[in-house]
Amino acid sequence: MGTHPSENPQASEQAPWHTMSIEESIAKMGLKADLQKQGLSVDEAASRLSKYGPNKMTEKEKVTIWQRIWHQINNVLVYVLITVAVVSLVQAVTTDNSNTRFTAWFQVALILSVIILNTWIGIYQEGNAEKAADALKNMLSTDARVIRGGKEIMIPAGDIVPGDICLLGLGDKIPADLRLCSVSNMATGEAALTGESVPIDKVTEALSPPDGLDPEQVPLGDRKNMAYSATLVAQGSGMGIAIATGDFTQIGTINRLVNNTETIKTDVLKQIDQVSKYLFVCICTMCTATFLTAFFYTD
């Protein structure tokens, strides 16, 4: 999993990289001036991997199938249905009347079918919500070309650390958020982040934010000296400095928002819950009254 987002040093080391020159970016990260040629040393890469954690997005705690089932049946109306089913089951087992037995078994089957169908639909809907987070993970690159110790090597994308020099070619998935330091007719498809269907041409020069905007207010699509994790190189080639990995990439931020989304009840569901409680009280009262009447007044 890596370091928890709130404890990761990247949380306090973010900067408006698109407004900074390549030299300023390298200095800001505390790296050597010859970074573009030599990349990180093996020891420096290992140290940074220990400091920042792997280039992976934090996964939401998995919910077991039993927890999902309990979430669906933990409802007052379901309790009432289960109680009725148990009573009908007892009646089906103990009665000698064939017609009564058939009716009781039919009631049991009908009630259980309703509970099972409702539970299945609820679990299916919850599964669709989790697929959104899984889809984000599937967009990530599995490996990357980097320069380390002056040599070009291929490494797992999870081993990329802030400060790595990443090499990009046509068709590559960008493995981390990068401040581009070299491009050759390069353009990237960023529809997953910006919704822009046309590939965006890339540059390396520092960009000044438009008048009236803070650097962080500049749209991602206008940060043309940046390349973002999970987007694709649509043409050309380039090289960039990894400035954010894992949860601190743009796609990682989206992943955190998806995982931290809380399930809230709408007003309709709250009203249904309230009615269910009233209905439960009424049913219990009627059952008690019926039992007492039959017990005391029936010969």
Side-chain angles (χ1 to χ4, degrees):
M1 291 283 190
T3 308
H4 190 277
S6 62
E7 302 171 352
N8 196 303
Q10 289 189 74
S12 59
E13 294 180 5
Q14 297 301 302
W17 304 103
H18 55 288
T19 65
M20 302 167 64
S21 67
I22 298 170
E23 293 75 17
E24 289 173 338
S25 299
I26 293 174
K28 173 70 175 177
M29 302 184 77
L31 300 170
K32 296 179 181 178
D34 63 349
L35 179 69
Q36 297 181 61
K37 293 182 179 180
Q38 295 297 317
L40 297 176
S41 67
V42 175
D43 291 341
E44 177 69 12
S47 174
R48 284 177 169 264
L49 184 61
S50 176
K51 177 181 179 181
Y52 296 111
N55 179 29
K56 295 180 180 179
M57 296 189 296
T58 301
E59 297 183 14
K60 188 176 183 179
E61 183 179 354
K62 295 294 184 180
V63 179
T64 67
I65 185 64
W66 299 112
Q67 289 174 315
R68 292 183 181 183
I69 291 174
W70 173 249
H71 181 258
Q72 297 302 320
I73 65 175
N74 186 23
N75 180 281
V76 174
L77 285 182
V78 174
Y79 294 155
V80 172
L81 290 174
I82 292 175
T83 303
V84 174
V86 170
V87 172
S88 297
L89 180 62
V90 172
Q91 184 180 26
V93 172
T94 58
T95 186
D96 293 328
N97 187 300
S98 59
N99 290 332
T100 302
R101 183 185 300 112
F102 174 79
T103 301
W105 279 115
F106 180 79
Q107 289 175 342
V108 172
L110 182 62
I111 292 172
L112 291 180
S113 297
V114 170
I115 294 174
I116 291 172
L117 179 61
N118 178 72
T119 302
W120 180 83
I121 292 174
I123 292 175
Y124 178 78
Q125 291 175 334
E126 287 185 359
N128 285 340
E130 288 191 358
K131 287 179 181 178
D134 292 336
L136 292 176
K137 291 194 288 286
N138 292 335
M139 294 169 61
L140 302 181
S141 174
T142 57
D143 50 34
R145 288 185 300 138
V146 301
I147 298 177
R148 285 190 178 175
K151 297 179 181 179
E152 179 182 330
I153 60 173
M154 186 74 73
I155 65 171
D159 290 344
I160 289 179
V161 296
D164 258 324
I165 294 293
C166 299
L167 304 176
L168 306 172
L170 178 63
D172 287 348
K173 278 186 179 180
I174 296 169
D177 283 4
L178 309 176
R179 170 59 170 92
L180 296 173
C181 53
S182 176
V183 295
S184 177
N185 193 34
M186 180 177 165
T188 60
E190 299 179 355
L193 288 177
T194 65
E196 178 59 59
S197 59
V198 179
I200 298 174
D201 293 327
K202 295 299 179 179
V203 299
T204 59
E205 296 81 11
L207 303 174
S208 299
D211 292 339
L213 289 182
D214 292 330
E216 294 302 323
Q217 294 177 317
V218 177
L220 297 182
D222 293 339
R223 303 180 189 185
K224 296 185 177 181
N225 55 10
M226 302 288 295
Y228 297 103
S229 177
T231 60
L232 289 170
V233 179
Q235 70 179 39
S237 59
M239 181 172 69
I241 307 168
I243 52 88
T245 60
D247 287 320
F248 296 91
T249 61
Q250 294 296 329
I251 197 74
T253 300
I254 295 174
N255 178 69
R256 275 189 290 166
L257 292 174
V258 170
N259 286 342
N260 292 335
T261 299
E262 296 182 2
T263 302
I264 60 174
K265 288 188 175 182
T266 62
D267 291 338
V268 173
L269 291 177
K270 291 178 180 178
Q271 291 175 4
I272 291 175
D273 286 345
Q274 193 68 23
V275 171
S276 297
K277 293 175 182 178
Y278 291 147
L279 184 60
F280 178 73
V281 172
C282 290
I283 291 173
C284 290
T285 302
M286 293 174 65
C287 289
T288 303
T290 301
F291 173 78
L292 293 176
T293 300
F295 184 81
F296 289 108
Y297 296 100
T298 303
D299 293 334

